Each structure stands twice: as structure tokens, then as C-alpha cells.
Amino acid sequence: MKYDLAVTIDKASGFCFGVVYAIEMAEDILAEEDYLYCLGDIVHNDEEVRRLTDKGLRIIDHEQLALLHNEKVLIRAHGEAPSTYQLALENQLILIDASCPVVLKLQNRIKNSYDDREQILIFGKHGHAEVIGLQGQTDGNAIVFQDLAELDHVDLPAKFTLYSQTTKSTEKFYHIKEQLLSRGYEVKANDTICRQVSNRYEDLEKFVLNYDRIIFVSGKKSSNGKVLYDVCKKYNDSSYFISSSDELDLSWFNPNDKIGICGATSTPMWLMEQVKAELESF
């Protein structure tokens, strides 16, 4: 039985400019050299990481970084804490800095706030590379939280400054701000969410309404992917999260369905095209 699925890829999906910049930088170096170290996954997408490691990208963690000397190391779009740059100086490492300009600007703002002795709260994912870099601007003194409930048992000062990881939901950020104000705190809120990311929420809301089924393609480690998938699911209940075409399930579809494919800011277009080809073969 042929399903004859009509499949369309969302033109607004795919890498954000920060990820494109980091990957192009890595590819340019690997075209000239046999290998390049990268501190952490260059992007939260296993398929794309595999493609680049096949070209010679070597993913390392901070413990392995400490053992390196006289090597080139790529700093990915998520950015790094000051301690990483200090270590690079001590170990005579050449850093290829592909930190996203939006993240660098945020790091700078947080450092200035910290230098002004403000208590800083960061709405972000615990352990996320970007958040670790942001917290590093405060010598680890910023309070990081993923959810308002986490603050219920924290002794907060009457006045503080609120920042956000760049890929968080704008709607949730402003909800948190209003909740904290309603609790009587004096909140200096800085909306530091990347507009290239937040604009995708509105674009997706419109996109997903046009299709019988939505296939959302993303790495499972991508926090941006989780947020964008929730948008898909909210506006089209027939939305499915996959990381590769192997995870497609024929039982999700009916013959002649209109299928929309979209993805996170860390999802490569080639992967979405692979999913499209697989669906069209059903």
C-alpha cells in the first residue's frame, strides 16, 4: 500500500546563525588540518556531531582540556566561563572562539551586573553549557533555576536582577517576572532571549496548523528543541518528536496525509531532507 504523503519542510527551521558560524569555522579548519578539538558537542544534535567527527572533529570535556597543551580548541556557540580562557593561557592553547555574539553580549551584561554587586538570577537549564558560561561571569554566585517552584525554598533578597538563557521561552520569562513582582520582590528584568529563536515560536504556531501530522526533528539534548516541540504539540496534537528517520513509525500516518517537517535551531537541514525522503518512500 502506497501512502502518497505530501511532505513540506518548514523553511524557517534549521540552524541559527550562531550554530552556522561555529560549524563553518570547524569545517574551514578541518579542510586544512587533520583534526580539531572542540570543547563539548559543537551542536546538540548527535547526527551532525557524527558527521563532523568523521571529518576529524575531536569532542573533549573540561577534564580533557586541562591535559592539552599547544593545541587548537574550538569554543562552540554556547560560550565559556572565564576559567576556560585562563586555562588556555596557562596551557598555551589556541582558542578558536565561535561563541555566539548574542551569548557574548549576555555574558558581558551579567559580568557588569555582578561587578555592580547585584544579586543575579538566571532562568536557565541546570548544567547547560551556555548557563555554565553565564554563571562563570559571577564566580558561580548567580542563582540558576529552571522553574519558579525551585525558588520557593530559596532565601532571596528583596531586590535582584533577572536574566535568561538565550533559548528560553519569552512567554515563560515574562510570566516568571510577573510572578516574582507579585510576591513583592523588586525585580530588574533583562529580556536576553535571542529573537531569532523566539520568532520561531510564532512562525511554528502558524506552520503546524496547515498539516495533518507534524514531524519535529531534534537532538534529545537540545533544550531549544524541547521548547519548540512543545509549541508544535500545543497547536497540532498530531506532532511527533524524532531524532532521525529511523524513528519514523508508519502507524502515525494515513494515506494522502499532509506532513510538515520542522526542527530546532540545532537541527541540520540535511537531516530534515533525509526524513522527507524517507516519508515520501512510504
Side-chain angles (χ1 to χ4, degrees):
M1 176 181 170
K2 190 87 172 99
Y3 274 67
D4 288 323
L5 302 172
V7 188
T8 305
I9 297 175
D10 172 28
K11 288 187 178 66
S13 284
F15 291 149
C16 62
F17 71 84
V19 171
V20 170
Y21 178 62
I23 288 173
E24 284 181 351
M25 207 174 267
E27 288 184 318
D28 286 349
I29 291 168
L30 290 169
E32 304 289 329
E33 299 176 27
D34 292 337
Y35 67 90
L36 171 66
Y37 289 103
C38 178
L39 187 52
D41 286 345
I42 191 167
V43 63
H44 286 151
N45 186 280
D46 290 343
E47 308 291 321
E48 180 67 3
V49 169
R50 200 172 296 120
R51 184 183 76 83
L52 290 164
T53 52
D54 286 347
K55 287 176 179 271
L57 195 70
R58 297 179 181 177
I59 309 295
I60 56 169
D61 59 24
H62 287 84
E63 286 178 14
Q64 291 165 310
L65 180 75
L67 303 174
L68 285 186
H69 292 79
N70 304 299
E71 293 280 8
K72 280 185 184 171
V73 181
L74 182 82
I75 301 293
R76 58 201 172 154
H78 301 96
E80 278 294 321
S83 55
T84 299
Y85 295 89
Q86 184 59 41
L87 178 68
L89 279 174
E90 291 164 8
N91 288 11
Q92 294 182 303
L93 299 171
I94 299 168
L95 293 185
I96 313 297
D97 199 341
S99 299
C100 172
V102 177
V103 174
L104 285 176
K105 185 179 176 186
L106 171 55
Q107 286 185 351
N108 198 39
R109 287 180 68 179
I110 287 178
K111 187 180 186 317
N112 288 338
S113 288
Y114 182 66
D115 289 346
D116 289 340
R117 301 185 183 282
E118 296 172 9
Q119 173 61 64
I120 295 161
L121 268 66
I122 300 171
F123 169 45
K125 182 181 178 183
H126 294 292
H128 188 282
E130 181 192 322
V131 174
I132 291 168
L134 299 178
Q135 203 174 15
Q137 310 305 316
T138 70
D139 295 330
N141 289 311
I143 296 168
V144 174
F145 67 101
Q146 290 178 197
D147 208 276
L148 260 178
E150 290 177 43
L151 299 177
D152 291 346
H153 308 294
V154 177
D155 188 18
L156 294 174
K159 178 181 179 181
F160 50 78
T161 303
L162 177 66
Y163 286 98
S164 171
Q165 179 181 340
T166 59
T167 52
K168 283 295 184 186
S169 157
T170 318
E171 187 182 348
K172 194 165 180 187
F173 175 79
Y174 281 103
H175 172 72
I176 285 165
K177 175 192 168 186
E178 293 309 318
Q179 286 293 309
L180 290 169
L181 286 170
S182 73
R183 294 179 188 185
Y185 295 110
E186 189 180 332
V187 184
K188 183 176 165 187
N190 298 277
D191 175 355
T192 50
I193 292 161
C194 175
R195 285 301 175 260
Q196 194 181 2
V197 174
S198 64
N199 288 346
R200 291 206 181 170
Y201 305 148
E202 291 173 32
D203 292 342
L204 270 185
E205 285 172 24
K206 294 170 191 156
F207 177 79
V208 301
L209 294 173
N210 299 317
Y211 299 93
D212 301 308
R213 306 276 180 273
I214 294 295
I215 302 299
F216 186 84
V217 188
S218 171
K220 292 184 171 62
K221 294 180 204 166
S222 169
S223 51
N224 159 255
K226 290 183 182 72
V227 173
L228 290 175
Y229 173 66
D230 286 344
V231 173
C232 294
K233 195 75 178 162
K234 181 178 175 182
Y235 292 94
N236 186 327
D237 197 46
S238 298
S239 295
Y240 302 92
F241 187 115
I242 66 167
S243 294
S244 72
S245 56
D246 302 345
E247 296 172 20
L248 289 168
D249 186 335
L250 200 54
S251 69
W252 296 342
F253 311 106
N254 295 315
N256 305 310
D257 268 350
K258 284 173 65 185
I259 312 294
I261 297 174
C262 45
T265 54
S266 52
T267 305
M269 188 54 75
W270 66 260
L271 186 56
M272 288 185 280
E273 284 165 356
Q274 208 176 68
V275 171
K276 180 176 191 276
E278 182 70 16
L279 286 167
E280 288 175 339
S281 74
F282 287 168

